[in-house]
Amino acid sequence: MARSGERYTPHSRRDSSAHDSSYRSSAHMNVSMNANTGSSHSSTPRFSTTRGEASYAGSTRKSSASKNPYLQAQRSNNNARRERVGFVTADKGFVSAKRPMPGGKKPKRGMTRRDFIVLGGLAAVAAALPIGWNIFRPVEVVINGARRTYTVHTSLGDIISKEKIKTTAGNLTSVSGKVITEGKGFAYSVKVDDKDLSFDDGNNYKIHGGETITVGNGADIMEEYTVEMTETQPKLITDGSWGAVTYVSQWGKVEKKEIRTGKTSGETADGEVKQKGQDCVLKTRNLQPKDGKKLISITFDDGPSVYTERYLKILKDHGAVATFFNLGQNVDEMPEISKKIVADGHEIMSHTYHHDVLTKDSAERVQSELDSSYESIKKATGVETTMIRPPYGAFTSKTWAVTQGKMSASILWNQDSLDWSRPGVDKIVANAINGIQPGYIILMHDGGGPREQDLEALPQILDKLHDQGYTFVTVTDLMKADGNVPEDILTGKAKMPEDAVWPTELG
Ligand code: NI
């Protein structure tokens, strides 16, 4: 409080007059106010507060002060000269204070003018604290390992220049990262509490206190460049080469990426990836029910046919459910049978429309075989499916590549009953059962030729496997029990998402 200190000095007439008058009388208070208002370092409101308190302290002596003949004489002076009078009284006032007061009274020893000023100064500090402390309070930060104190909200840019931290500036680089001009990059880099800031953010950062700041070498600045967007198509990737089921475990997405051409260097380089791409992945594997549950699926191809209803009766009698891979052309001929399959709680999927060897079909034919069979099944039963069993099990990744995303899964089998060759009932039963494991899929037929052997074999297969503790579930329920098949595939009618594309190229 240099200003208060100044007021101790008798030679500082202006200030001492302020003090003296407030001590003496309210009349002189006016004088001193005027004097101070006119001065170059005239008081802020804070200063007035100080004086106000001092004069309050002095008011106990007002009566004696008013009896001061000297002051009374001064008071009778011309008002226009008050200001100058104030200066005059200043010195005298100080002198007179050292003498006994008129009327024999002395100021209390415990309260000198000096005390008033000190008290006043403290009061000023107290009054200023709530605002001043927040704006100007010093805080500590750790900058490159050293503890430093700065006023709160000082910018890091100011601190870095004051601390004279030596850093190496980055370079101006080409789009491919080659140095064009050394030292033309950013002057330094800033990290606040392990968070890297951009150059501007770091430079403008205002400290709160308590931060750990790391100032390091500057980053490079890349030359100006022009941008072209490129698109990369996804590829078709096969994951696993052997197994009863193949399904889309990931849909393909186009990658959209910038290609930058440097205005200075003329170089081209990959830029920002605007849309992350991904390949389409086909997963081929056997299903394995969680916790070793003894679940299996029995499946029937080439229907519906004149035999199908007898299959449905046997299944009902044994409390078993199955999955039927219907041919679109048969569904169109006997829609009521397909409808009954679904009504009995079985699952229906596509076996194409014409029973083509799809691997020998054109892309258009493959697609129409799928679309038309899906449509027939939907029309007859209301069921939407995108799962098929390819005729003869003939389906390669090349065939997948021409499906345009119309298929979500290809379902083959683990146990081939070879019933189509009519090897005899016992052989069909043995082929269906021998070596069976939880999660397996059994292949039989309910169409495509005489099915009497099947109809005799089926009850035995159901009984024997039931005796072994197996439960028959649909293919999609077997997939659910497996726990590794994506949700959309489990619906049985998964369609390619709108933001996906079907790859035509194998990965
Ligand atoms: Ni078939």
Side-chain angles (χ1 to χ4, degrees), residues 301-302 351 355 391-392 445:
D301 290 6
D302 298 351
H351 193 41
H355 209 273
Y392 319 102
H445 293 79

PDB file of all heavy atoms in Angstrom, residues 301-302 351 355 391-392 445, ligand 1:
ATOM      1  N   ASP A 301     -35.071 -81.186 -48.407  1.00  0.00           N
ATOM      2  CA  ASP A 301     -34.961 -80.421 -49.656  1.00  0.00           C
ATOM      3  C   ASP A 301     -35.978 -80.884 -50.700  1.00  0.00           C
ATOM      4  O   ASP A 301     -36.539 -81.970 -50.609  1.00  0.00           O
ATOM      5  CB  ASP A 301     -33.567 -80.623 -50.274  1.00  0.00           C
ATOM      6  CG  ASP A 301     -32.470 -79.948 -49.452  1.00  0.00           C
ATOM      7  OD1 ASP A 301     -32.772 -79.429 -48.361  1.00  0.00           O
ATOM      8  OD2 ASP A 301     -31.299 -79.974 -49.910  1.00  0.00           O
ATOM      9  N   ASP A 302     -36.094 -80.025 -51.706  1.00  0.00           N
ATOM     10  CA  ASP A 302     -36.792 -80.314 -52.968  1.00  0.00           C
ATOM     11  C   ASP A 302     -38.319 -80.326 -52.870  1.00  0.00           C
ATOM     12  O   ASP A 302     -38.990 -80.627 -53.853  1.00  0.00           O
ATOM     13  CB  ASP A 302     -36.317 -81.651 -53.594  1.00  0.00           C
ATOM     14  CG  ASP A 302     -34.843 -81.654 -53.950  1.00  0.00           C
ATOM     15  OD1 ASP A 302     -34.218 -80.567 -53.883  1.00  0.00           O
ATOM     16  OD2 ASP A 302     -34.300 -82.717 -54.278  1.00  0.00           O
ATOM     17  N   HIS A 351     -34.567 -73.123 -51.755  1.00  0.00           N
ATOM     18  CA  HIS A 351     -33.689 -74.096 -52.414  1.00  0.00           C
ATOM     19  C   HIS A 351     -33.589 -73.692 -53.884  1.00  0.00           C
ATOM     20  O   HIS A 351     -33.428 -74.536 -54.745  1.00  0.00           O
ATOM     21  CB  HIS A 351     -34.288 -75.503 -52.248  1.00  0.00           C
ATOM     22  CG  HIS A 351     -33.357 -76.627 -52.599  1.00  0.00           C
ATOM     23  ND1 HIS A 351     -32.022 -76.647 -52.252  1.00  0.00           N
ATOM     24  CD2 HIS A 351     -33.577 -77.808 -53.267  1.00  0.00           C
ATOM     25  CE1 HIS A 351     -31.473 -77.777 -52.685  1.00  0.00           C
ATOM     26  NE2 HIS A 351     -32.401 -78.505 -53.324  1.00  0.00           N
ATOM     27  N   HIS A 355     -33.926 -75.302 -59.150  1.00  0.00           N
ATOM     28  CA  HIS A 355     -32.926 -76.309 -58.797  1.00  0.00           C
ATOM     29  C   HIS A 355     -31.739 -76.299 -59.765  1.00  0.00           C
ATOM     30  O   HIS A 355     -31.187 -77.321 -60.181  1.00  0.00           O
ATOM     31  CB  HIS A 355     -33.551 -77.717 -58.735  1.00  0.00           C
ATOM     32  CG  HIS A 355     -32.852 -78.633 -57.772  1.00  0.00           C
ATOM     33  ND1 HIS A 355     -31.751 -79.398 -58.115  1.00  0.00           N
ATOM     34  CD2 HIS A 355     -33.089 -78.913 -56.467  1.00  0.00           C
ATOM     35  CE1 HIS A 355     -31.358 -80.108 -57.069  1.00  0.00           C
ATOM     36  NE2 HIS A 355     -32.158 -79.832 -56.045  1.00  0.00           N
ATOM     37  N   PRO A 391     -28.694 -75.983 -54.490  1.00  0.00           N
ATOM     38  CA  PRO A 391     -28.844 -77.345 -55.030  1.00  0.00           C
ATOM     39  C   PRO A 391     -27.469 -77.991 -55.229  1.00  0.00           C
ATOM     40  O   PRO A 391     -26.526 -77.324 -55.665  1.00  0.00           O
ATOM     41  CB  PRO A 391     -29.542 -77.116 -56.368  1.00  0.00           C
ATOM     42  CG  PRO A 391     -30.296 -75.827 -56.177  1.00  0.00           C
ATOM     43  CD  PRO A 391     -29.427 -74.999 -55.293  1.00  0.00           C
ATOM     44  N   TYR A 392     -27.374 -79.280 -54.863  1.00  0.00           N
ATOM     45  CA  TYR A 392     -26.119 -80.067 -54.941  1.00  0.00           C
ATOM     46  C   TYR A 392     -25.024 -79.491 -54.025  1.00  0.00           C
ATOM     47  O   TYR A 392     -23.859 -79.878 -54.126  1.00  0.00           O
ATOM     48  CB  TYR A 392     -25.597 -80.162 -56.394  1.00  0.00           C
ATOM     49  CG  TYR A 392     -26.700 -80.392 -57.401  1.00  0.00           C
ATOM     50  CD1 TYR A 392     -27.186 -79.353 -58.177  1.00  0.00           C
ATOM     51  CD2 TYR A 392     -27.257 -81.669 -57.547  1.00  0.00           C
ATOM     52  CE1 TYR A 392     -28.216 -79.562 -59.087  1.00  0.00           C
ATOM     53  CE2 TYR A 392     -28.302 -81.887 -58.452  1.00  0.00           C
ATOM     54  CZ  TYR A 392     -28.782 -80.820 -59.220  1.00  0.00           C
ATOM     55  OH  TYR A 392     -29.812 -81.031 -60.100  1.00  0.00           O
ATOM     56  N   HIS A 445     -34.627 -85.458 -47.918  1.00  0.00           N
ATOM     57  CA  HIS A 445     -35.461 -84.854 -48.968  1.00  0.00           C
ATOM     58  C   HIS A 445     -36.924 -85.209 -48.756  1.00  0.00           C
ATOM     59  O   HIS A 445     -37.235 -86.330 -48.341  1.00  0.00           O
ATOM     60  CB  HIS A 445     -35.007 -85.357 -50.351  1.00  0.00           C
ATOM     61  CG  HIS A 445     -33.635 -84.886 -50.735  1.00  0.00           C
ATOM     62  ND1 HIS A 445     -32.479 -85.445 -50.261  1.00  0.00           N
ATOM     63  CD2 HIS A 445     -33.239 -83.869 -51.562  1.00  0.00           C
ATOM     64  CE1 HIS A 445     -31.417 -84.826 -50.760  1.00  0.00           C
ATOM     65  NE2 HIS A 445     -31.865 -83.860 -51.562  1.00  0.00           N
TER      66      HIS A 445
HETATM   67 NI    NI B   1     -32.080 -80.469 -54.063  1.00  0.00          NI
END
